[in-house]
Amino acid sequence: MQDNTFWWRGGVIYQIYPRSFMDANCDGIGDLKGIAEKLDYVASLGVDGIWLSPFFTSPMLDFGYDVSDYRDVDPMFGTLEDFKTLLARAHALGLKVMIDQVISHTSDQHPWFQESRVDRTNPRADWYVWADPRPDGTPPNNWLSIFGGAAWTFDSRRRQYYLHNFLTSQPDLNFHHPEVRAAQLDNMRFWLELGVDGFRLDTVNFYFHDQALRDNPPVPAGEAKTLGAPDANPYTWQRHVYDLSRPENLDFLRELRALMDEFPGTTTVGEIGDDNPLARMAEYTAGGDKLHMAYTFDLLNAPHSAAYLREVIERFQRLAGDAWPCWATSNHDVVRSATRWGADEDPVAYPKVALAMLFSLRGSVCLYQGEELGLMEADVPFERIQDPYGKVLWPEFKGRDGCRTPMPWENVENGGFSPAGVEPWLPVEARQLPLAVAAQQDDPASVLSATRRLLAFRAAHPALVDGDLTLVDVGEDLLGFVREGAGERILCLFNLTAEPHETRLPLAVDHALEGHGFRARLDGDTLHLPPYQAAWFAVS
């Protein structure tokens, strides 16, 4: 049995987007009571814990990623008592609970900012990033907001600009100020003392900025844009040298780790959007004194061929050292993988083999709600778009609402998320209704059943949970690697294409492992993998 202190190492964490999981009070918006009602289902998948996207008090201009009170629940989602009930229920089911922490910026409605913007001499005057205009009145430098336009907004009271990497209503905190760092660590201590098991850290490399406010350089002509933002966004046209991933962040992450170490068994996973994401992941998780885990957008973008996946794994292993990754192929910010990767593939077979690959990688896993159902991206018409990101860049980029639509529980009106006759905050995608939980629950051929088999298979083989990984050559069209640990060596092979492929096994095997639901044929030392199939072999 794995030491529970290190449950996160190789753990599978189910991400819940509270607005869209389950509407218990029938107002069209998901809530904490709704999540608590469905925790038995989550536990039945075989995951180790849950991650809750923000549920804190907020004006909801960025759907909770604009926090106005770090220590309370927005009435939209319930009460702090509802959260405590959810926490107790999850723990009773053996599920760990991680919550989002959005500490790089606040809402402009947060009392800290309301005080800071009054004048240049108040006690919190320097808690945010303020800067004088250039002599011609323009912003201090060329930094851009991810959500479009300059990353600076002028405030007439202070006659200065304030920095916001996202919406104008999300001013950036000044992490160079020791009181800011201490206040945010204290806010996290509040939730740790309530009993949460860890944090997902939003934009973890955005905390510090260059104090000299130097301009970012452009991306040189012909070089790839690597940040996890759409090409239609000018934000990708800069190399983000000075507005994020500053070296001072490492010392703060050490302060954060010291706090976490006061609560054994807790963990952190950081979201990294960077020009060099895997290198940053390695930097932020290496050494055992900073983050426990981090994830990047390398599996959250469009490329997904076997060659690309090999390159990501190889690049991570070259850079990682003792770093520990957390892999995801979908989340609340990107097009669902069944569409982003699988639009032209078999809608049932492809999600299964993609999950098989994800669950076999070295690292921990975040599984986004609905991915276990093989949900495709929803088509949200412009008049129903809620995401401010989509409103700015429409139609080239339609925002993130397509992956945030309500979870389909039953093949009925509103998918069982809200009662019939109640309009959900985002429309339920009609194409998803036949994929509802109730429709897949008892079907052994469903993506849901495959998810449960694969997670049970992973849990039964320690090498798949915490073993080392070595890539093997099985040709251009297949992905292969060996996982080794706890006395096991397992050869893992994947055909993510619609064509059958065969390959000579790269090493001698003892026998095929069973219990995962995939099929392959071994003829001597030649493996025949049908379309969208995988195979695992025990190796001496």
Side-chain angles (χ1 to χ4, degrees), residues 110-424:
H110 195 291
W112 294 348
F113 187 71
Q114 293 293 304
E115 182 176 356
S116 184
R117 75 189 313 178
V118 169
D119 55 45
R120 303 188 188 192
T121 59
N122 67 80
R124 291 194 172 92
D126 297 326
W127 276 42
Y128 292 81
V129 183
W130 295 96
D132 291 327
R134 288 171 170 163
D136 63 358
T138 56
N141 60 25
N142 72 344
W143 297 353
L144 296 173
S145 163
I146 289 180
F147 287 168
W152 299 94
T153 290
F154 188 73
D155 188 281
S156 59
R157 279 157 283 196
R158 289 184 53 140
R159 299 176 66 84
Q160 285 183 305
Y161 283 92
Y162 65 86
L163 178 67
H164 53 88
N165 278 295
F166 300 94
L167 296 175
T168 58
S169 57
Q170 292 171 296
D172 270 63
L173 285 159
N174 177 17
F175 267 71
H176 292 284
H177 199 308
E179 291 179 8
V180 169
R181 300 194 300 273
Q184 290 294 44
L185 290 171
D186 198 43
N187 282 328
M188 286 188 274
R189 180 181 292 277
F190 171 83
W191 293 101
L192 290 168
E193 290 177 345
L194 275 185
V196 303
D197 302 290
F199 302 120
R200 180 264 188 183
L201 297 161
D202 186 63
T203 60
V204 72
N205 56 317
F206 280 63
Y207 296 161
F208 286 82
H209 66 287
D210 174 48
Q211 288 184 291
L213 302 181
R214 287 171 283 186
D215 281 350
N216 281 329
V219 175
E223 286 195 12
K225 301 170 184 176
T226 54
L227 279 159
D231 288 342
N233 190 344
Y235 187 82
T236 64
W237 302 357
Q238 293 183 357
R239 282 280 179 251
H240 292 274
V241 178
Y242 297 115
D243 54 344
L244 50 85
S245 300
R246 302 300 299 161
E248 299 94 331
N249 207 28
L250 295 175
D251 285 336
F252 174 71
L253 296 181
R254 292 185 181 98
E255 291 182 65
L256 172 57
R257 181 59 173 263
L259 169 64
M260 304 303 293
D261 287 347
E262 293 180 34
F263 298 85
T266 61
T267 191
T268 52
V269 56
E271 175 199 31
I272 295 175
D274 187 83
D275 291 329
N276 300 289
L278 290 178
R280 199 68 59 211
M281 178 196 284
E283 181 183 33
Y284 280 20
T285 64
D289 63 346
K290 297 179 284 295
L291 299 179
H292 299 82
M293 304 176 280
Y295 75 86
T296 75
F297 287 81
D298 290 273
L299 298 187
L300 293 169
N301 52 19
H304 61 284
S305 67
Y308 174 78
L309 295 171
R310 278 194 302 273
E311 189 274 330
V312 169
I313 295 168
E314 190 278 330
R315 182 159 35 96
F316 175 74
Q317 300 213 133
R318 185 175 70 251
L319 297 169
D322 63 352
W324 191 255
C326 186
W327 301 108
T329 55
S330 288
N331 69 16
H332 64 293
D333 281 333
V334 300
V335 173
R336 286 187 174 275
S337 62
T339 296
R340 194 180 71 254
W341 284 6
D344 299 322
E345 311 288 353
D346 184 289
V348 176
Y350 184 82
K352 293 179 185 178
V353 74
L355 288 171
M357 179 276 299
L358 177 66
F359 295 156
S360 297
L361 292 174
R362 179 180 184 267
S364 303
V365 173
C366 279
L367 181 69
Y368 183 47
Q369 66 182 51
E371 199 168 6
E372 77 278 14
L373 305 176
L375 295 186
M376 72 291 286
E377 181 82 351
D379 185 14
V380 180
F382 179 75
E383 62 271 15
R384 292 296 306 275
I385 287 288
Q386 302 286 332
D387 184 12
Y389 202 1
K391 292 177 181 179
V392 169
L393 296 175
W394 181 280
E396 284 74 19
F397 176 64
K398 297 182 179 181
R400 301 163 295 179
D401 291 333
C403 64
R404 298 177 175 183
T405 55
M407 180 84 168
W409 296 100
E410 302 173 64
N411 189 359
V412 297
E413 183 182 345
N414 288 340
F417 166 77
S418 290
V422 173
E423 185 175 29

Side-chain angles (χ1 to χ4, degrees), residues 425-486:
W425 78 284
L426 281 174
V428 174
E429 170 62 73
R431 294 175 301 153
Q432 293 181 355
L433 291 178
L435 304 179
V437 171
Q440 296 197 39
Q441 184 84 354
D442 299 320
D443 179 2
S446 68
V447 179
L448 176 57
S449 294
T451 301
R452 289 181 168 135
R453 280 194 302 270
L454 286 166
L455 287 175
F457 178 74
R458 174 187 172 96
H461 294 282
L464 295 179
V465 175
D466 195 20
D468 293 331
L469 183 150
T470 304
L471 285 164
V472 294
D473 183 6
V474 287
E476 185 67 17
D477 297 311
L478 301 178
L479 176 67
F481 47 78
V482 173
R483 299 294 310 277
E484 182 172 3

